[in-house]
Structures are given as C-alpha cells and as structure tokens.
Amino acid sequence: MTADGRIVNPHGYPDELVRQSIAAALKSIAQRRSRSAKAAAETRRRRQAFKVQETARRIVAGAKLGPRPTCCICGRGIDDPQSVARGIGSECWQDVLQAIEQQQAAKLAGALP
Ligand SMILES: [Zn+2]
C-alpha cells in the first residue's frame, strides 16, 4: 500500500482480498509489537527489582554510591543534593529503603533460634 492509500497490486488480485490481507498483516504486526512491549516492560521491572535488592545489599555492607548525577537504580538524572549525595533518586530510594528493611528483618529472623 502506498502512502496515499492506493494498493500496489501487480498480479491483479481482487482489491478486497488485498485490502483484507494487508489489514490482517498489520494487525498481526501490531499484536507482535504489543506482546514484545509487554515482555520488555516485565524484563525492565525484573531487572530493576534485582538492582534494588543488590543495591540494598551493598549499602548494608557499607558501600557508598554517591555523589553522582544519575540514579544508580534507574539511570535518570537527579538534582536534589540529598539524592545526588546518595547516588539514588528519591523514588528509587523508597524501594531501596524497603529492601534494606526486608533484608535486615530476614537477617534478624535467621539469627533468632
Ligand atoms: Zn532512580
């Protein structure tokens, strides 16, 4: 199909058949893209969750991640001084804090008889 909506049909198939085939192909492409986008979002979410856990472990172990101009979890720029010093943006910091608390609670639970 050309940009102005005409169909290129050198073999002379019935117009309706060509239009239906094009519509089916476009629908299939859109469905594949949608599936891929969902899978990519899930992969991003999983990687970020892993990064949060890993970062929490490093902080508990005494690592210092800042100062830095981008969040070490999501990579976005950070500008408030507290976040820059920490190396983690305020949104991601909430997740890291939660992970630190969970890891410390798990450690405590493991240390108890
Ligand atoms: Zn972040």
Side-chain angles (χ1 to χ4, degrees):
M1 193 149 43
T2 61
D4 60 0
R6 285 181 301 118
I7 48 177
V8 179
N9 187 9
H11 296 290
Y13 293 113
D15 269 13
E16 190 49 35
L17 179 64
V18 173
R19 289 190 190 283
Q20 280 173 1
S21 300
I22 290 171
L26 290 176
K27 188 177 174 193
S28 163
I29 290 168
Q31 284 171 341
R32 191 172 56 238
R33 284 197 179 138
S34 173
R35 273 195 308 273
S36 299
K38 279 179 195 148
E42 173 56 21
T43 300
R44 265 193 308 277
R45 192 202 57 73
R46 200 161 17 83
R47 283 185 182 152
Q48 184 139 336
F50 177 80
K51 225 180 226 183
V52 164
Q53 291 299 326
E54 206 44 45
T55 302
R57 239 187 307 279
R58 288 176 63 196
I59 290 173
V60 168
K64 194 167 168 4
L65 306 168
R68 45 180 289 155
T70 56
C71 175
C72 71
I73 302 291
C74 68
R76 282 183 287 199
I78 41 184
D79 47 17
D80 76 286
Q82 208 181 359
S83 299
V84 170
R86 206 167 40 212
I88 303 171
S90 54
E91 279 177 46
C92 293
W93 179 239
Q94 297 310 311
D95 298 337
V96 173
L97 266 184
Q98 200 179 350
I100 289 173
E101 283 168 15
Q102 285 167 357
Q103 287 177 16
Q104 286 173 339
K107 201 178 280 181
L108 272 179
L112 294 174

